Amino acid sequence: MLEVFMLKIKENYFILETEHTSLVLKNDGGEVVYLYYGEKLNNYCGIELYEDGWKSSILSQCGTGNHREPALGVRFSDGSRKTNLKFHRARIVPFEKIEGLPCSYGAEKSLRLEFIDAPSKLKLYVTYTAYEESDVVSVATSLYNGGKKPVYLESVPSVQLEVRGRDFSFITFDGDWASERRRHEHKIGVGKLVNESIVGSSSHHHNPFTLIERAGEVYAVNLVYSGNHRTVVESNDAGKTRLIAGISPYAFDWELLPGASFFAPEAVVAYAATEEEASLCMRRFVSEHIVRGKWKKKPRPVLVNNWEATYFDFNAEKILSLADVAAEIGAELFVLDDGWFGARDDDFRGLGDWEDHVEKTGGIGILADKIRAKGLKFGIWVEPEMVNEDSDLYRKHPEYAMKIPRREPTRMRNQIMLNLADPQVQGFVYRAIARVIEQCKAQYIKWDYNRTMTDCFDKSSHSGEYYHRYMLGLYNVLEKLTARFPNVLFESCASGGGRFDLGMLCYMPQTWTSDNTDARDRVYIQAGTAAAYPQSTMGAHVSICPNHQTQNSNSLETRFDVACGGVLGYEYDLTKLTDAEKKEISEQISFYKTHRELLQFGTQYMLGNAFEGDMSGFITVSPDKSKAISVVCLPFRRVWYHTVCTKFQGLDEKAVYAVSYRDAVGNLVKLGEASGALLCKGQFRLDTVYDTVDTKRYSNPMYTRLYLFEKVSAKRRKTNE
Ligand code: DGJ
């Protein structure tokens, strides 16, 4: 038996183990099939009894008698589509980065299965890596054309999963701009269910993270990719459920020349008994094996952003007055948003001209130094993948734009895209943004992307390759920029939340979660995001009331309570704050900083149901369980006799905790002491929270309360007794 920690090859069996799961594959006469994926088996005796009449292939092919969605779609130059990729060998190999694409890191070895289609000499490699402590397995699939003629790839799976049973549900996270990642559950019945994005990005509409689940059995899948994606699930009469995830085959047709390879985006898969556990595995995995660099575990600064305070209407004086208050209230980073460059006085012009709008800023280098002199870090907004036709860049280089000859381009937010599939355009974007960073010594970059892709065209590449070539171009730029500026904190933003995916998180440890900052909506947006992504990746800001997106009003306390579930910021005209509000915000920031390690990097559990129901919220527990913070949210006031309760989670059931809550002005009010067991198992009454909001000031608000749990030491407990 060939064996490396976590990976075993025994005759025709291949075993991958993580701390709590086992995945067993078998070479069954040339086809590799799933025998087992589930809770860890420490003994594999009898595994052959789990072989199956109806094989559960790791990759279904066309023309082999498979009557469901085939994972791999290949067209040969004679027009035929049949492949018969047969198992050739298995090897344990050193872990390798995927060429041209972002991927996970931190493993030493992988299991590689190799397949050959004898007539065409097409080779397939499926490489599995087990991430032990996260209970995640990553799968990287690639194809190599060993023949003499080009081969056309119509669909290349990142992963195919096949499980026994056909009573699963398919869970997806869907929405739109300002309403991202609402959880949906679809019963998998007859026919296919599809979760897909074809807008050129991972999208606001359908996140690539999905699950299939039934009681006691959950499989979670995500893709390390930011472009078009598709996940298809399908059950059959033989009692199997199949999931295939990868790049969307929409407008995909890749010419694989002789001697060339194609690398599919990495897929990551987790098995757990419950949806919450699967989600915790995924989040642990993202924190450890996706987010990287200096900011991986480093406390993220509390920022102030001028967007909702000023939109395009600002000058240096206004920015400096905002920065004064930002420093006074204890913020650490000031972010200058859209409007500082070119002739950018509105969203009709200027994109592409990454030069100072000197009349407004007085020079970004000078402005940045003045902001730093106030004790703040300086960050700046860019939207590098776009151009306005009213810009010097477009006038000089119209050929850089993504346009189809002789066709009017589709404009969104008055802008068109740059053709990042073209290496020359990649070079321009890289140099322009590097210059901006150097000019103002930026310590933070907000990388925006405010439209979807429509006019895909590049004269030098095949049209079926465009979407993916764009992504490769983008990743190339990001790879170089992040390597050149390792200290800069990058935050990805695609109109807020339009590219919340593992691909972007490989370069940018944070993502602006949504443009919707309404606390009530943020509860479900953040809970849906937390299904797959840890809170340290989620930008969450307190903004003004009535809220600019929804017109709802909520107390400042509630807005903070919700935002402290992610990386805190304020997006607000701070110069208009009353003294009382300023004090309240200063205390919020000071509280957040005191508990920042816990809030940003602790283990976060969701409470209640953020998508429907009477209550929701979170509890974040420190690794040693000595401290926890919970925010409970009651979306609407119910009649007085209606009791709302919760069980907390993740606490040390053997310990006793001092329980307090934060009142409206930031004082910690002691409630008493309670055992971890009682807090986790008992129903803690929450409807008293209704008393917290001044309903004369805020009509129909949401109700929240922040609780702090601190372990009482055994010694102190004894003294008290
Ligand atoms: C969309 C972003 O999500 C906003 O925060 C802001 O940066 C605007 N773009 C600026 O145009």
Side-chain angles (χ1 to χ4, degrees), residues 307 337-338 381 413 446 448 450 493 495-496 512 515 571:
W307 179 242
D337 211 282
D338 196 354
W381 177 98
R413 208 194 188 206
K446 177 173 173 187
D448 211 343
N450 281 305
C493 169
S495 303
W512 175 226
D515 268 358
E571 187 153 342

Side-chain angles (χ1 to χ4, degrees), residues 2 72 85 144 173 175 265 289 296 444 485 565 611 664 676:
L2 184 52
L72 184 67
L85 285 149
Y144 170 77
F173 296 85
H289 302 291
K296 176 175 177 171
Y444 162 106
F485 300 103
F611 307 98

Side-chain angles (χ1 to χ4, degrees), residues 73 76 97 177 256 301 329 360 366 430 483 616 631 651 668 717:
F76 293 102
K97 222 185 138 312
W177 173 78
L256 191 64
I329 59 174
K360 274 172 101 171
I366 298 169
Y430 168 70
S616 62
V631 170
L651 297 167
L668 279 177
R717 252 160 60 206

Side-chain angles (χ1 to χ4, degrees), residues 560-561 564 591 629-631 660-662 704-708:
F560 167 74
D561 285 352
C564 80
F591 178 86
I629 286 177
S630 175
V631 170
S660 39
Y661 72 85
R662 240 184 128 254
T704 56
R705 181 164 275 175
L706 185 153
Y707 293 95
L708 177 68

Side-chain angles (χ1 to χ4, degrees), residues 196-201 203 206 228-229 248-251 453 467:
E196 184 170 33
S197 168
I198 57 166
V199 298
S201 56
S203 87
H206 305 287
N228 285 348
H229 60 86
S248 165
Y250 168 76
M453 235 180 258
Y467 284 106

Side-chain angles (χ1 to χ4, degrees), residues 652-664:
D652 177 356
E653 295 197 10
K654 293 201 185 82
V656 169
Y657 290 87
V659 184
S660 39
Y661 72 85
R662 240 184 128 254
D663 72 10

